[in-house]
Amino acid sequence: MRIAFWPDVEVRKRNSSSLTKLELFVLECATELETFSTAQFEAITGLPSELLHALCRRLIRGGAVVRRDTEYFATSTARQTLERGQTYDAVEGSQSYIYLPDSDEVVALSKQDAKAFSKLDDRGRYIVATVPAPRELAGVKRSDLLEEHIRLGRIRGADSGVVGLTERVTTPDPPLFADGTCLAYQCDAVLRTTHESTELSLMFHSKPSRRSNDQARSEPVHILIQGQTNLGDSWKQLADVLGTTTYRRALWHALTSSTSTPPRVLPTRCSIDTWQLDVDGLSASEVATQQNLASEAALEVVADDCTVSLSMSFRPTDPRAERLFARDKAIAKAQAEGSVNPILRFLDESRPPQPHVPQLTTIDDMLSRVWSLGHFTLAYALTEPTDIPRD
């Protein structure tokens, strides 16, 4: 993942403060009368007309009123400011950001995340490689890119209340990627979404030391990005390929290692990273060659710069598939409990009521399935009653 880290950028932040009673009076007059002059102020209050200019300074900076000579006019936000009883002013401060060139996103970091991210430059342990920067960013300055993202309201992450950069420049402002390269890091990411929120968690792991006598690694760096991101959306789009006909055959091969014709039905999404596929008896038997049907299959969608990890569960759609699923569910439960009792109960429950009707799943079938799944301890436990002579 290509990342540029910009610590402690000098910015102007929105600062809220309560209005005084006189400021509220002036704002109410301007709102109700639409215009309020110094002459009206003096006539109503008996105070010097010049005082009105001082009372309106914060109202002007907060965008509630505008001045024209000796008159003040209420803006569209005046009534909202009056009801809130607060105005906003810009104060100078600092804010740390990361820039993600691959998704053209600027993310505002909390102080805690900025401190954690600064560790990534610790002796270069976290840097995977230096890679080419996007060509379209050649010659672009950091200040220009930041100002554009702030103006368009495209800053992701922490709500820092930044309204712009400071007008005075105390640090050099060279092009973003003057040499045409950018640092790239390897990280694990978890994307969580609900109906109310989206959260992107990034975990950066350090590289092992090259020294043979130094096996220690630096602590992982964890960054949390709140809110929707283009980066997260691109990963969700990668996951969406499981539900398309284009990749149906590739998906089936990943699940079964088979070149047979895949089921016509497409999987359905259960959550952001889990899917479900309906299978009949024939399809279930093919999936069973690779795994327990009661367990989820782990899948990876591989792109040039990332790998998305997903899981696939299965649902039986006919009696044969239901029997195979019940068999594997009993084995999975037996393996988890370390006891053959769930298997014995399954065999007992699946015994036909009529003596002349053959049992579809026998102890030999279960033993063969247990061996194929590699549960050798369970297999030995199943064979124990016949392997050990009893007096």
Side-chain angles (χ1 to χ4, degrees):
M1 180 188 297
R2 292 185 289 191
I3 301 179
F5 177 46
W6 303 331
D8 299 323
V9 178
E10 296 174 346
V11 296
R12 291 180 293 113
K13 295 187 176 183
R14 184 176 63 245
N15 180 54
S16 63
S17 57
S18 299
L19 295 172
T20 65
K21 291 183 178 179
L22 273 177
E23 288 173 325
L24 287 170
F25 167 75
V26 169
L27 183 56
E28 184 176 7
C29 290
T31 302
E32 297 300 329
L33 301 174
E34 295 185 357
T35 177
F36 194 48
S37 66
T38 53
Q40 288 173 305
F41 174 76
E42 185 174 7
I44 295 173
T45 64
L47 298 172
S49 59
E50 292 79 9
L51 181 60
L52 180 61
H53 300 309
L55 291 172
C56 286
R57 285 172 186 163
R58 291 204 305 159
L59 298 177
I60 292 174
R61 289 198 298 266
V65 300
V66 293
R67 179 180 176 179
R68 188 178 301 161
D69 297 328
T70 60
E71 293 182 318
Y72 290 87
F73 298 84
T75 66
S76 58
T77 62
R79 191 169 297 278
Q80 183 181 3
T81 303
L82 182 63
E83 293 173 353
R84 189 173 55 238
Q86 290 184 324
T87 186
Y88 294 104
D89 200 359
V91 296
E92 292 189 356
S94 63
Q95 175 65 50
S96 296
Y97 298 96
I98 55 173
Y99 177 58
L100 309 175
D102 297 314
S103 54
D104 188 27
E105 291 181 287
V106 177
V107 180
L109 300 178
S110 65
K111 290 184 179 180
Q112 180 180 356
D113 284 346
K115 183 178 180 180
F117 207 93
S118 64
K119 297 178 182 178
L120 292 185
D121 290 328
D122 179 19
R123 292 175 288 174
R125 285 195 172 189
Y126 295 91
I127 299 172
V128 175
T130 301
V131 298
R135 293 181 179 179
E136 60 271 19
L137 294 175
V140 176
K141 292 187 175 182
R142 183 182 74 180
S143 59
D144 295 335
L145 187 142
L146 264 176
E147 285 281 16
E148 180 184 12
H149 278 69
I150 293 171
R151 178 175 56 83
L152 296 176
R154 292 171 54 189
I155 301 294
R156 309 295 192 184
D159 182 11
S160 56
V162 172
V163 295
L165 303 183
T166 56
E167 296 181 0
R168 56 184 180 84
V169 178
T170 60
T171 56
D173 186 26
L176 281 176
F177 308 109
D179 60 353
T181 63
C182 177
L183 296 180
Y185 301 82
Q186 187 175 30
C187 75
D188 296 329
V190 177
L191 182 64
R192 302 181 182 91
T193 62
T194 66
H195 293 296
E196 294 81 20
S197 64
T198 299
E199 178 182 278
L200 179 59
S201 175
L202 304 177
M203 183 70 75
F204 298 85
H205 299 279
S206 63
K207 298 183 295 184
S209 174
R210 293 183 179 180
R211 298 178 182 177
S212 58
N213 61 346
D214 183 9
Q215 299 298 321
R217 286 191 175 206
S218 301
E219 288 295 320
V221 172
H222 180 226
I223 305 295
L224 195 62
I225 302 175
Q226 300 286 353
Q228 183 183 5
T229 60
N230 295 337
L231 184 62
D233 289 345
S234 68
W235 291 340
K236 284 195 290 185
Q237 290 175 2
L238 275 177
D240 288 342
V241 303
L242 295 190
T244 64
T245 56
T246 305
Y247 293 92
R248 183 172 59 184
R249 190 172 293 277
L251 171 62
W252 188 241
H253 179 72
L255 292 172
T256 65
S257 297
S258 170
T259 58
S260 63
T261 302
R264 297 188 65 178
V265 63
L266 292 173
T268 56
R269 178 176 243 145
C270 303
S271 68
I272 190 170
D273 62 344
T274 60
W275 294 72
Q276 186 177 73
L277 180 63
D278 290 347
V279 291
D280 58 16
L282 179 60
S283 298
S285 62
E286 290 197 61
V287 174
T289 63
Q290 302 298 313
Q291 68 167 76
N292 188 306
L293 293 170
S295 303
E296 293 182 340
L299 296 170
E300 290 184 339
V301 180
V302 181
D304 291 338
D305 56 353
C306 69
T307 299
V308 177
S309 298
L310 307 166
S311 61
M312 179 75 70
S313 63
F314 306 95
R315 186 173 61 179
T317 60
D318 64 16
R320 179 186 176 189
E322 289 173 355
R323 188 173 68 254
L324 295 176
F325 271 76
R327 174 201 66 185
D328 280 12
K329 186 176 181 180
I331 294 174
K333 189 173 183 181
Q335 179 68 9
E337 295 179 1
S339 168
V340 297
N341 289 335
I343 294 177
L344 299 178
R345 282 196 300 269
F346 167 77
L347 289 171
D348 185 58
E349 293 169 358
S350 62
R351 185 176 293 110
Q354 298 84 4
H356 63 277
V357 177
Q359 187 167 354
L360 294 177
T361 305
T362 65
I363 183 67
D364 290 336
D365 296 328
M366 295 300 288
L367 183 59
S368 175
R369 180 60 174 160
V370 168
W371 273 106
S372 69
L373 290 172
H375 302 324
F376 304 123
T377 301
L378 199 59
Y380 292 138
L382 277 174
T383 59
E384 185 180 15
T386 56
D387 287 347
I388 299 176
R390 303 290 184 184
D391 293 334

